[in-house]
Amino acid sequence: MEIKTAMAGTLESGDIFIQIAPNDNAGLHIDLDSTVAYQFGDQIKKVITETLQGLGIDQAEVKATDKGALDCTIRARVTAAAVRATGKDVWAD
Amino acid sequence: MQRLRRTMMFVPGNNPGMMADAHIYGPDSIMLDLEDSVTMAEKDAARLLVHNALKTIDYGNTEMVVRINPLSTPYGKKDVEAVVKAGVHVIRMPKTETAEEVVELEQEIIKVETELGCVGRTQIMAAIESTLGALNAYAIATASKRMMGIALGAEDYCANLKAQRTTGDSPFFGMELQMARQCIVTAARAAGIDALDTVFSNLNDMDTFRREVEMIKAMGFDGKSIINPRQIEVVNEIFAPKEKEIEKAKTILAAIKEAEKRGSGVIAVNGKMVDRPVVIRAQRTIDLAIASGIMTKEDLA
């Protein structure tokens, strides 16, 4: 799927800032900066990957700056960034 | 027991930190806001955040309300789809002026509920924020079986009224909202739904806040919209029945129970006639006392 550079989220506590950009190489490359990377880094990357794949995006450069976001917040921010990057909304209307 | 709605706490829909913690403070309802507290550039992101939060976070017994954008904007219908799909309890319509607007929202809700196979699940409440809305309060309150309450939105109402908001030191304090409040509470009662008052936004003036809550309780409101957890305790304290009221209510309920056994609907307690309206008020006092943690159901036995 063709994407352009887009971002969503904030750097406030409990949030995550997601930047998505086109990637010339195959696959998803996730660069994660998180205060809880040691404990939850793998889980955060898993949520990001699953959310993007669920939206049909399997090739992108992702930069994630996490401030202790819950999984539901990560899903929401990744989806928002993906919708902005593809121009394809998830709602019917 | 009917659900209590003493406090409905506003939480901006684009603030995940506040959304995750809001229920810990114990408001009766939480209103996640997609409207005024979210900038146009962030409407899409806030909608996704609210959708995912509602689906995932365990808010316990807290009633979950979402204030959507008006259906006349490009955001309204998407908001309805997102929050109904996430299982929201109540959709709050902003700036409601006519019954037709409620019907239009209901149609949008039905579309999504039909797709999900859960028609009738979502309730509606309407915020009345204009003079036309206040005059149409009863029509709005009865526009749909899904209506659970109507609320006052004071800032827009005052702008429309061409009046200034009075402050606690004014001899006319609250005068500008008198008519709207009475329209709303009377319409809500006539329709058999709840009435909620507007927010009080000066967090540094808790004395005036307390006065305002005492006033709206005296007027018959069920509760108040709030913007900060600090306001919850004050509202709950004012709405909690006093010991004397509880004792009186218990005596009335015990006496009417006894009378019902004998097949009589009217009795006298301490020389005063007790009939249905008195019993309803007594039951409400007990419900509030239990919800406030002052007494338990076992205390009634």
Side-chain angles (χ1 to χ4, degrees):
Chain A
M1 189 182 294
E2 196 177 323
I3 60 166
K4 58 183 184 183
T5 301
M7 55 193 84
T10 70
L11 295 174
E12 285 177 35
S13 175
D15 206 345
I16 186 168
F17 184 64
I18 301 283
Q19 295 166 280
I20 297 181
N23 186 0
D24 293 336
N25 303 316
L28 292 168
H29 179 253
I30 301 168
D31 176 12
L32 173 67
D33 174 11
S34 171
T35 45
V36 292
Y38 182 72
Q39 298 99 316
F40 300 112
D42 290 344
Q43 170 67 11
I44 295 169
K45 284 185 179 177
K46 186 169 167 252
V47 174
I48 293 172
T49 304
E50 284 174 359
T51 306
L52 288 174
Q53 285 173 343
L55 294 165
I57 298 173
D58 44 24
Q59 185 171 334
E61 186 75 33
V62 181
K63 167 100 179 90
T65 311
D66 172 55
K67 298 291 175 184
L70 298 176
D71 284 4
C72 60
T73 302
I74 301 170
R75 271 195 293 276
R77 293 315 197 187
V78 172
T79 306
V83 166
R84 289 171 180 179
T86 59
K88 199 176 142 198
D89 207 349
V90 291
W91 312 115
D93 284 297
Chain B
M1 191 180 93
Q2 202 197 337
R3 180 182 269 284
L4 286 181
R5 295 191 177 96
R6 296 162 298 181
T7 51
M8 182 171 287
M9 187 159 81
F10 284 26
V11 177
N14 206 27
N15 188 322
M18 286 168 81
M19 283 162 65
D21 296 342
H23 61 297
I24 295 166
Y25 303 99
D28 292 328
S29 314
I30 290 174
M31 191 207 77
L32 304 175
D33 183 29
L34 294 174
E35 199 214 8
D36 283 351
S37 69
V38 179
T39 62
M40 285 204 214
E42 290 298 319
K43 295 286 188 196
D44 57 342
R47 186 184 303 122
L48 284 161
L49 206 52
V50 166
H51 171 81
N52 279 281
L54 286 172
K55 277 205 320 194
T56 316
I57 297 172
D58 180 4
Y59 286 104
N61 291 325
T62 316
E63 180 178 53
M64 295 309 294
V65 182
V66 175
R67 178 164 75 172
I68 61 165
N69 291 284
L71 292 179
S72 56
T73 68
Y75 318 113
K77 288 181 182 175
K78 288 181 182 181
D79 291 347
V80 173
E81 183 187 349
V83 300
V84 172
K85 282 185 173 170
V88 72
H89 299 137
V90 182
I91 291 182
R92 177 168 165 140
M93 285 180 74
K95 302 178 179 68
T96 314
E97 295 200 304
T98 65
E100 287 72 28
E101 291 167 23
V102 176
V103 174
E104 191 193 356
L105 172 63
E106 185 172 36
Q107 294 309 316
E108 287 303 318
I109 293 172
I110 289 172
K111 268 190 219 169
V112 185
E113 285 182 345
T114 303
E115 191 188 319
L116 300 172
C118 63
V119 175
R121 182 175 71 181
T122 318
Q123 290 186 289
I124 301 173
M125 75 176 290
I128 288 172
E129 305 181 57
S130 68
T131 48
L132 181 59
L135 292 174
N136 284 334
Y138 181 68
I140 291 167
T142 52
S144 161
K145 281 183 181 162
R146 293 168 185 258
M147 288 296 294
M148 72 74 168
I150 46 178
L152 172 62
E155 294 304 331
D156 284 293
Y157 177 82
C158 279
N160 183 227
L161 190 68
K162 296 187 177 175
Q164 296 293 323
R165 291 297 304 276
T166 51
T167 50
D169 53 3
S170 163
F172 306 113
F173 175 58
M175 192 75 87
E176 73 281 12
L177 299 177
Q178 195 74 13
M179 169 74 177
R181 281 179 167 140
Q182 285 178 332
C183 282
I184 286 169
V185 81
T186 307
R189 290 293 166 260
I193 63 173
D194 283 354
L196 281 139
D197 191 43
T198 188
V199 297
F200 183 85
S201 49
N202 185 355
L203 290 172
N204 294 322
D205 187 0
M206 293 302 274
D207 290 341
T208 307
F209 175 65
R210 179 175 282 275
R211 262 175 68 200
E212 187 165 278
V213 177
E214 283 168 345
M215 181 174 69
I216 61 119
K217 189 201 171 206
M219 290 180 82
F221 277 88
D222 294 279
K224 192 158 177 67
S225 305
I226 58 165
I227 52 160
N228 190 287
R230 277 167 58 198
Q231 296 179 320
I232 294 173
E233 201 183 330
V234 177
V235 178
N236 286 356
E237 183 202 317
I238 290 166
F239 272 84
K242 307 296 169 277
E243 202 178 324
K244 213 172 153 186
E245 293 172 319
I246 296 169
E247 285 311 313
K248 190 178 157 194
K250 277 160 87 173
T251 309
I252 288 168
L253 291 181
I256 200 78
K257 215 171 171 184
E258 198 56 40
E260 275 166 4
K261 272 189 204 162
R262 297 198 310 267
S264 167
V266 184
I267 50 160
V269 173
N270 297 332
K272 281 186 188 162
M273 191 185 84
V274 169
D275 55 6
R276 197 169 163 272
V278 181
V279 175
I280 291 170
R281 284 205 299 272
Q283 186 61 55
R284 168 106 183 127
T285 302
I286 297 296
D287 288 350
L288 269 168
I290 292 171
S292 311
I294 299 170
M295 63 179 285
T296 63
K297 279 181 187 164
E298 286 70 42
D299 294 337
L300 267 183

